[in-house]
Amino acid sequence: MRRRFPWSVIFIATALLALAAVPVWVERVVSEAGAEMRKLELARRKAAEIETIHARQMTRFQEYLLTGSLVARDQYNALLERESQQFDTLRLYLETTEFEGLTGRVRVEPADLSAAAAVRNRAAIWQLEHRGVLESPDSIPGYLQHRRADLDRYEGLLRVSGDFREHLSERAARAQEWVEYTRWRFQGLLTGLLALMALAATVATARLARHLNLAAEEATRRRKDALRARREIDAILEATAEAVLGVDLSGRVIRLNQAGSRLLGFTEEDARGRRFHRVLHAGFPVPEDTGELPEARAMRDALLAGNAVAGVDGQVHPRRGGVVGVRWSLRPLVDGQEVRGAVITLTDMREVRAAERALKRAVRAREETMAVVGHDLRSPLSSIAAAAELLLDVPLPEDRRRLQLESIQSAADRMTRLIGDLMDLSRIDTGGLRVILRSGELTTLLERSLRLAEPRADQDRVRLKRDWSPDLCPVDMDDHRILQVLSNLIANALRYTEPGGSVEVGAIQRADEVEVWVQDDGCGIAEEDLPYLWDPFWQPDRDRQARQEGAGLGLAIVKGIVEAHRGRVQVDSAPGKGSRFAFTLPRTASPATLPSSPPGS
């Protein structure tokens, strides 16, 4: 084996060089043939382009016949020039396509040129019939009587063109198959012979290397097992949402996962080797002579004692600054029976605390709103009771009696509106709000909503503006519900606009939807209040919004109705600069895509 090994290596090297050279040689020959063969494919594409030009010529000629358009005639003549250029290029491809393969020569057949000439002649005959009509518009009426014959000639041209294009496609496909078959046959034959040579040398070398492979396989298996275990641990650490620090017994960081990097502002490379309290409180450095912060001291004591600690609230100071509330836990890191360090887990409590604050704020807002709702229901109810008692006990003149009845009706309408808002909100929350979508004109609803708002605007001395095109496209909507949306938005705008101000209602048409907006120049909305604006029962602080009234249900109902129409709502506002509330409605679908029954939510 020792004597044969050098010869085996030489034999394998020779075989490998041959294996590399043979495919290169075959590929070079095939690529030379393929470069010429691609001319057949280019010729097929030119034939397809000529078909397209004929179709456009027919369209322009028909347009000229029907309208007498000189533009259509000029376009027809331009297509004639382009057709001539394409035919010249096609003939050039066909006349120059010729190449030698590994087993023979491939060239364009005379039938190819004859078929191309037949297409050109048929096109020339068809176009010749058009020339008189194009030069003399007075002959159009007479030509229209023989329009069927022109269509028959055009259909015959299409058949000839299609047959020629299919012929070229078949020729290109056969040439491609021939090249592929030649390549694989020669390459496979030569490669097989060289593989047999390499196999003989491989057998000799394999016997010599067998015992080395056994040792290498064992070492590789152990390395793979260790690597697999390490990757599994890494994947678990990176997948967890909590920050995880591994520290040794001296308190230095040996591991930091991605969540820890995001929380503390350190990469794992930067944190490795640092004292763990320097990593946890990098944004609040503590001098060495003053000791550690309470959280770090508690962790260090548990680490030295080898005790587990869980669920302790504390704080960390990230490298980028600030303070983050966390809940930390510590578990000993045990290797067999020996404690090697500890694993510190940090849970970011910011989202939890924010959710708790939001929940408390929502509960408080709901309680305040329910108090407002109770007051708003009691007030009209008291008015109704007082007016009814007065009518029963005191004989009143007709004018005063009518005034009391109108007071009862006004209070009842107020209660009905409030109860209706509560019911709409309940339907939205439970998914039971139903809208019947029908195609309608949005301009009518916009005008109606402004007419309804004019008495309130006159009373508050606020100008109402319009900004929409009279030819807005139809939209899919429930008229009653969209009028409710517009009324709520306009009422809100009037409520927060000072006397002398203005409220603008507008709409703009987009690609597949229409956007409607209501804009005022009132007091605006604070930025911190914008995320809660669409929440039911939520209202801004009354000391900031002195004119606040109502139960805080209007915008929540607006959002529910618009989303039931498959639309979106948005608001842009800044304190002192007014507010702009907008929503979108989908345009009416084309007749081909309309559903069989009106959709509802």
Side-chain angles (χ1 to χ4, degrees):
M1 290 293 291
R2 193 177 296 113
R3 291 193 302 270
R4 295 176 181 174
F5 182 77
W7 292 105
S8 300
V9 172
I10 294 173
F11 193 68
I12 290 176
T14 303
L16 290 175
L17 290 175
L19 285 172
V22 168
V24 171
W25 174 74
V26 174
E27 190 64 32
R28 183 180 62 81
V29 175
V30 170
S31 63
E32 292 176 356
E36 290 295 321
M37 186 191 68
R38 279 192 292 272
K39 291 184 179 179
L40 288 174
E41 176 61 19
L42 293 174
R44 186 194 65 79
R45 293 182 183 179
K46 288 298 177 182
E49 291 179 10
I50 292 172
E51 283 190 76
T52 303
I53 291 174
H54 290 159
R56 292 178 179 175
Q57 286 176 335
M58 188 62 177
T59 301
R60 298 295 174 262
F61 182 69
Q62 295 297 325
E63 181 181 355
Y64 173 77
L65 289 179
L66 297 176
T67 64
S69 171
L70 298 180
V71 174
R73 185 187 66 182
D74 294 339
Q75 291 175 348
Y76 179 93
N77 293 329
L79 289 171
L80 287 176
E81 297 179 3
R82 184 178 175 186
E83 176 197 23
S84 177
Q85 296 172 359
Q86 299 296 336
F87 268 119
D88 293 339
T89 305
L90 172 63
R91 183 174 184 84
L92 179 63
Y93 285 152
L94 294 178
E95 290 177 346
T96 59
T97 300
E98 178 177 352
F99 60 93
E100 291 187 2
L102 299 175
T103 59
R105 180 183 296 270
V106 175
R107 62 164 57 94
V108 173
E109 301 172 352
D112 299 335
L113 297 174
S114 299
V119 173
R120 189 163 191 176
N121 293 336
R122 181 68 65 94
I125 294 172
W126 173 63
Q127 294 159 356
L128 184 62
E129 298 294 331
H130 299 165
R131 189 171 303 280
V133 179
L134 293 172
E135 293 175 354
S136 176
D138 296 334
S139 62
I140 291 178
Y143 190 87
L144 287 176
Q145 298 178 1
H146 304 286
R147 185 180 179 187
R148 181 68 256 177
D150 181 70
L151 292 176
D152 292 339
R153 288 190 293 271
Y154 174 69
E155 291 175 358
L157 173 61
L158 289 182
R159 285 193 299 271
V160 173
S161 299
D163 294 341
F164 176 61
R165 177 170 47 81
E166 292 297 328
H167 171 71
L168 291 179
S169 299
E170 293 176 0
R171 290 273 290 131
R174 289 199 303 269
Q176 180 67 29
E177 292 174 358
W178 178 82
V179 170
E180 292 296 329
Y181 169 75
T182 302
R183 174 176 24 180
W184 290 112
R185 184 178 64 177
F186 276 83
Q187 187 173 353
L189 178 61
L190 295 176
T191 302
L193 294 176
L194 294 173
L196 290 177
M197 296 171 57
L199 181 61
T202 302
V203 171
T205 306
R207 294 180 59 186
L208 181 64
R210 185 170 178 273
H211 70 283
L212 297 175
N213 289 338
L214 294 176
E217 288 176 0
E218 180 64 19
T220 301
R221 184 183 63 79
R222 293 182 179 180
R223 185 169 58 255
K224 287 182 178 180
D225 291 343
L227 183 60
R228 186 183 303 110
R230 175 63 182 271
R231 287 177 177 172
E232 291 174 353
I233 294 173
D234 291 346
I236 293 172
L237 289 177
E238 300 306 330
T240 183
E242 286 79 14
V244 179
L245 289 84
V247 299
D248 58 18
L249 288 176
S250 64
R252 297 187 181 276
V253 176
I254 58 176
R255 187 65 192 275
L256 179 66
N257 69 344
Q258 288 292 332
S261 297
R262 290 192 296 270
L263 176 64
L264 301 173
F266 283 88
T267 64
E268 185 176 7
E269 291 75 12
D270 292 340
R272 187 178 292 115
R274 293 174 181 260
R275 298 283 184 180
F276 73 89
H277 67 274
R278 294 293 180 186
V279 176
L280 298 179
H281 303 290
F284 185 76
V286 181
E288 292 290 346
D289 56 352
T290 62
E292 304 167 344
L293 291 177
E295 292 86 354
R297 188 179 302 112
M299 293 180 190
R300 179 178 55 80
D301 294 342
L303 173 62
L304 296 177
N307 297 329
V309 181
V312 178
D313 290 333
Q315 296 178 344
V316 295
H317 301 79
R319 194 179 196 178
R320 57 183 174 272
V323 180
V324 178
V326 297
R327 177 165 293 175
W328 64 270
S329 63
L330 184 143
R331 293 288 185 275
L333 183 61
V334 181
D335 184 5
Q337 298 297 324
E338 183 182 0
V339 177
R340 303 291 298 274
V343 176
I344 300 173
T345 303
L346 305 173
T347 303
D348 190 345
M349 300 298 290
R350 285 177 292 187
E351 293 185 1
V352 176
R353 300 288 185 259
E356 291 176 352
R357 291 192 297 271
L359 179 59
K360 290 179 181 178
R361 184 167 52 247
V363 171
R364 184 171 62 255
R366 190 180 186 95
E367 291 174 351
E368 293 175 355
T369 303
M370 293 308 295
V372 173
V373 171
H375 174 271
D376 288 349
L377 285 175
R378 282 196 302 270
S379 179
L381 187 59
S382 299
S383 300
I384 291 173
E389 183 178 358
L390 186 62
L391 289 173
L392 290 173
D393 296 342
V394 180
L396 299 174
E398 181 62 26
D399 55 345
R400 292 190 61 189
R401 181 175 174 273
R402 183 175 183 82
L403 183 62
Q404 295 300 322
L405 290 175
E406 290 176 352
S407 176
I408 291 175
Q409 184 180 14
S410 176
D413 290 343
R414 182 178 173 187
M415 293 178 65
T416 301
R417 286 194 301 271
L418 181 57
I419 293 172
D421 287 346
L422 291 171
M423 293 181 65
D424 284 343
L425 182 63
S426 176
R427 294 188 188 102
I428 292 171
D429 288 341
T430 59
L433 180 67
R434 179 172 176 80
V435 295
I436 303 300
L437 300 183
R438 295 186 178 91
S439 178
E441 299 295 334
L442 190 58
T443 54
T444 304
L445 280 186
L446 293 172
E447 290 288 352
R448 184 179 175 188
S449 64
L450 286 179
R451 286 198 302 272
L452 293 175
E454 283 176 354
R456 172 70 180 273
D458 293 340
Q459 178 183 348
D460 294 345
R461 290 178 296 159
V462 176
R463 297 190 310 277
L464 292 178
K465 298 181 180 179
R466 296 166 171 82
D467 184 13
W468 65 78
S469 173
D471 55 352
L472 284 176
C473 64
V475 296
D476 294 330
M477 64 179 177
D478 186 321
D479 293 0
H480 171 71
R481 291 298 186 183
I482 296 304
L483 182 60
Q484 183 179 0
V485 169
L486 289 169
S487 299
N488 283 351
L489 293 179
I490 296 173
N492 279 351
L494 292 173
R495 183 180 306 152
Y496 292 102
T497 302
E498 298 296 332
S502 63
V503 172
E504 180 182 83
V505 179
I508 187 170
Q509 181 174 316
R510 303 193 186 282
D512 55 356
E513 63 185 12
V514 174
E515 180 182 350
V516 184
W517 71 83
V518 177
Q519 183 171 351
D520 62 70
D521 52 9
C523 58
I525 304 169
E527 183 178 358
E528 61 269 19
D529 290 337
L530 290 178
Y532 312 104
L533 203 59
W534 305 102
D535 294 347
F537 301 106
W538 183 89
Q539 295 179 351
D541 293 343
R542 293 182 182 268
D543 58 345
R544 288 182 296 168
Q545 305 285 356
R547 301 182 62 190
Q548 178 68 30
E549 59 185 54
L553 305 178
L555 291 181
I557 293 173
V558 166
K559 185 174 184 291
I561 292 175
V562 171
E563 290 180 349
H565 283 74
R566 304 188 300 275
R568 306 181 309 279
V569 294
Q570 65 180 20
V571 58
D572 295 314
S573 183
K577 297 183 179 180
S579 304
R580 184 182 188 274
F581 288 84
F583 65 92
T584 62
L585 293 173
R587 296 177 57 173
T588 297
S590 62
T593 60
L594 284 175
S596 59
S597 60
S601 301

